[in-house]
Amino acid sequence: GATQGGAKRMFAEEDDVEFTGCCTPQALTFILPSRGWHTLPIGVLSGAFLALSTHFLSPAVAAPALPGGEGLAAVGWLVVCLAAYSLNARPPPELNSYRSEEAPQGLACASRALHAALVMLWGLLLGDGAPPRALLAALPLLWAAGTLPQADVLLEYFLEQALVHLHGGPCAASPLRLGCLLALAWVALGAAWALEEYAGRGAALAWAAACGFVLSGDLCPG
């Protein structure tokens, strides 16, 4: 039908999905929608994440780190399921405000898996026992409260800190500007190394000083 303003009511038609069985192509497409070219990299990330989760939550690793922690392990598997579904199917709407206005679409689904993977790597590398497992179990509460930044925000933050503290560049106002400044910094670094190898340290220092002036002077458009 049509509304008073003449616009068609499309929501009911778009949400109307008919299934003829539980394992039909329509049902599988609804549960796991196609990602296009993202399918292969997301599949690789999902496999690596599930392998890490299986190792971290396995009884052989969990029992020595936290005796009697079966409850935390069960909640940990629930967290892994939530993160894996967000990675493989569709990411839920995030409540936090720590997001980029120009976020790459491919990174949104990896946020929850990244949070869980960082916690598990902390527990495996440092062997702190209970704290990382308790934090892993508390991740659903942190996601619901919107206190954790998304994957694109974390990536932009660390790249911007590398630009500012390692290369002497300015803060970037957009991902495009950040990429241009980092590319310029890395090209300048490679050229300075080549000049030191083949033309001497004086030429390398002169080139580095000029490039540092360009970076710190905020001359890159964007």
Side-chain angles (χ1 to χ4, degrees):
T3 61
Q4 184 177 0
K8 294 182 178 180
R9 298 177 57 184
M10 303 296 296
F11 294 103
E13 297 179 4
E14 292 177 356
D15 294 338
D16 188 11
V17 181
E18 295 182 0
F19 299 105
T20 58
C22 297
C23 299
T24 59
Q26 288 181 332
L28 294 178
T29 302
F30 179 79
I31 297 173
L32 297 174
S34 176
R35 294 291 184 87
W37 68 271
H38 291 154
T39 302
L40 180 59
I42 287 178
V44 174
L45 288 176
S46 178
F49 172 69
L50 292 177
L52 175 65
S53 303
T54 302
H55 177 68
F56 181 77
L57 295 173
S58 64
V61 176
L66 184 62
E70 292 80 5
L72 287 179
V75 178
W77 279 115
L78 175 61
V79 174
V80 169
C81 292
L82 293 174
Y85 183 80
S86 175
L87 183 60
N88 291 288
R90 53 175 62 85
E94 297 290 348
L95 302 177
N96 62 60
S97 58
Y98 302 105
R99 68 179 67 194
S100 173
E101 295 181 356
E102 302 178 17
Q105 295 297 324
L107 290 178
C109 62
S111 297
R112 296 192 172 188
L114 176 64
H115 299 154
L118 291 177
V119 174
M120 289 187 284
L121 287 174
W122 167 32
L124 290 175
L125 296 178
L126 300 182
D128 286 345
R133 299 177 186 278
L135 180 58
L136 181 67
L139 281 181
L141 299 178
L142 298 178
W143 290 333
T147 57
L148 297 179
Q150 291 185 334
D152 57 301
V153 177
L154 282 176
L155 179 61
E156 291 176 19
Y157 172 77
F158 287 121
L159 289 178
E160 187 177 54
Q161 296 307 305
L163 173 66
V164 172
H165 298 291
L166 296 181
H167 301 292
C171 295
S174 66
L176 177 60
R177 181 184 179 86
L178 177 61
C180 292
L181 289 172
L182 279 174
L184 178 61
W186 291 338
V187 169
L189 181 62
W193 175 83
L195 285 174
E196 184 178 5
E197 290 290 327
Y198 300 105
R201 182 167 297 179
L205 289 176
W207 168 259
C211 292
F213 172 76
V214 172
L215 286 172
S216 61
D218 201 10
L219 300 180
C220 181

